[in-house]
Amino acid sequence: MLLTDKRVLLIGGKGGVGKTTVSSALAVLATQRNKKVLLVSTDPAHSLADAFDREKIGDKVTRLAPNLDALELDPDQEVEQHLARVTAQLKRYTRPEMFSEIARQMRLTRQSPGAQEAAMLERIANTIELGLAEYDLVIFDTAPTGHTLRLLSLPEAMAAWTQGLLNANKRSEKLGEVLGHLTPKAGRDINNPLIDPAEHATDGMDERNKALTETLLARQRLLTRTRELFLDSQSTALLFVLTPEKLPILETGRAVTALMAEKLPLAGLVVNRILPDTADGDFLAQRRAQEKNHLAQIDRDFSQLTRFKLPLQATDIQGLSALTQFASLLAKTGI
């Protein structure tokens, strides 16, 4: 099965190793194989537009070529939009006198650790669901390795957090019922405090609790579906890009260990920018000797993974024509 026959591809790796170029060329290759593709960047340092020699792509689906659309997700913008949605939902489920406290909590949340990852994950999950409804393949040009791992592990953490909120909400609701029965309220018949003339107010609270519960459960289901998709080796593949240099090898080793511990479907490694045999000169001869050692280490350390090797190109890969040529090199690796 070719990687382009999957439904979702996640391209990761250390910054500066060529993830965007590989992601973009893979997208072009998939269209050549008659796939309709959505290419999505989640890296804060967006460079999809540069790769395709476009002035801007941005947060709206942009047509780059026949059967190839792209989207750049802005983490800061995602946080703002996420908090705006949460604020609107909370205001629907709480009393007006709580609005100022909600605003204060949202200001604190904006600066809290993990806010960006949480907002991005929900957007990624929604993008996947919408993308798979309209495209054959969704390719993510992800952020550098550490961010990628947090995104992949977050669905479980958020599901546990959501379940905790639901449990707390249930306990609060039960406690409210008990207190409601024990405490006479204004307007009640003092001889029969269980009869409340303002019964519709209680009903309203029940509806708010029900709506809150449904919102939390919907988010939990969405994240769970994303996690299950990430774990499905028939539908999803992760591909890591590295160069034959010490630091990318070390970081990729840590990433591979973490991904395998999570049982995520790691399809292989793209070893990028290998010096071609035609490169000459004493300086490049020294580089090639060192590179030979690094390539041998890659083969030893990652012997259990398929390795797709690509040569260093003489010029920058920019624009659809250059990406098409690079896609042909990818095809020759058997990817």
Side-chain angles (χ1 to χ4, degrees), residues 100-155:
S100 61
E101 177 61 20
I102 289 171
R104 188 180 78 86
Q105 290 295 333
M106 290 302 102
R107 284 195 300 273
L108 293 173
T109 300
R110 185 175 285 105
Q111 306 302 325
S112 68
Q116 196 174 87
E117 283 90 346
M120 280 294 287
L121 180 68
E122 189 168 355
R123 178 64 191 277
I124 286 171
N126 280 309
T127 299
I128 287 174
E129 298 221 325
L130 293 172
L132 293 182
E134 297 184 26
Y135 298 87
D136 300 310
L137 174 63
V138 181
I139 299 177
F140 283 91
D141 172 27
T142 66
T145 309
H147 195 182
T148 301
L149 291 173
R150 287 195 295 275
L151 284 174
L152 291 172
S153 63
L154 203 54

Side-chain angles (χ1 to χ4, degrees), residues 29 36 45 59 61 67 70 140 186 248 257 286 288 309 313:
L29 179 60
K36 186 178 179 184
D59 193 28
V61 173
N67 285 326
F140 283 91
T257 299
Q286 291 181 53
R288 188 180 289 106
K309 297 182 178 180
Q313 301 301 294

Side-chain angles (χ1 to χ4, degrees), residues 29 40 47 55 66 72 83 106 111 226 239 271 286 290 327:
L29 179 60
V40 184
S47 48
E55 186 174 331
E72 289 180 333
L83 293 180
M106 290 302 102
Q111 306 302 325
T226 303
L239 192 66
V271 186
Q286 291 181 53
Q290 184 182 55

Side-chain angles (χ1 to χ4, degrees), residues 220-252:
Q220 181 178 337
R221 292 184 194 114
L222 173 67
L223 296 175
T224 299
R225 288 195 299 272
T226 303
R227 175 69 177 179
E228 289 172 352
L229 182 67
F230 282 166
L231 289 167
D232 180 5
S233 60
Q234 290 298 309
S235 300
T236 302
L238 284 81
L239 192 66
F240 263 75
V241 183
L242 76 160
T243 50
E245 298 170 283
K246 185 176 181 179
L247 293 180
I249 292 171
L250 292 174
E251 183 162 335
T252 301

Side-chain angles (χ1 to χ4, degrees), residues 159-177 209 212-213 216:
W161 177 81
T162 301
Q163 196 59 52
L165 279 180
L166 293 175
N167 291 338
N169 190 49
K170 288 178 183 176
R171 287 194 297 272
S172 175
E173 192 174 349
K174 288 179 180 177
L175 179 60
E177 290 173 2
N209 280 335
L212 176 59
T213 299
L216 291 172

Side-chain angles (χ1 to χ4, degrees), residues 191-202:
N191 295 317
N192 193 352
L194 297 183
I195 299 176
D196 190 347
E199 197 170 345
H200 62 277
T202 304

Side-chain angles (χ1 to χ4, degrees), residues 280-300:
D280 53 11
D282 291 340
F283 175 81
L284 289 179
Q286 291 181 53
R287 289 290 302 178
R288 188 180 289 106
Q290 184 182 55
E291 182 183 86
K292 185 178 178 181
N293 293 328
H294 289 319
L295 289 170
Q297 182 183 353
I298 290 171
D299 288 340
R300 286 194 308 271

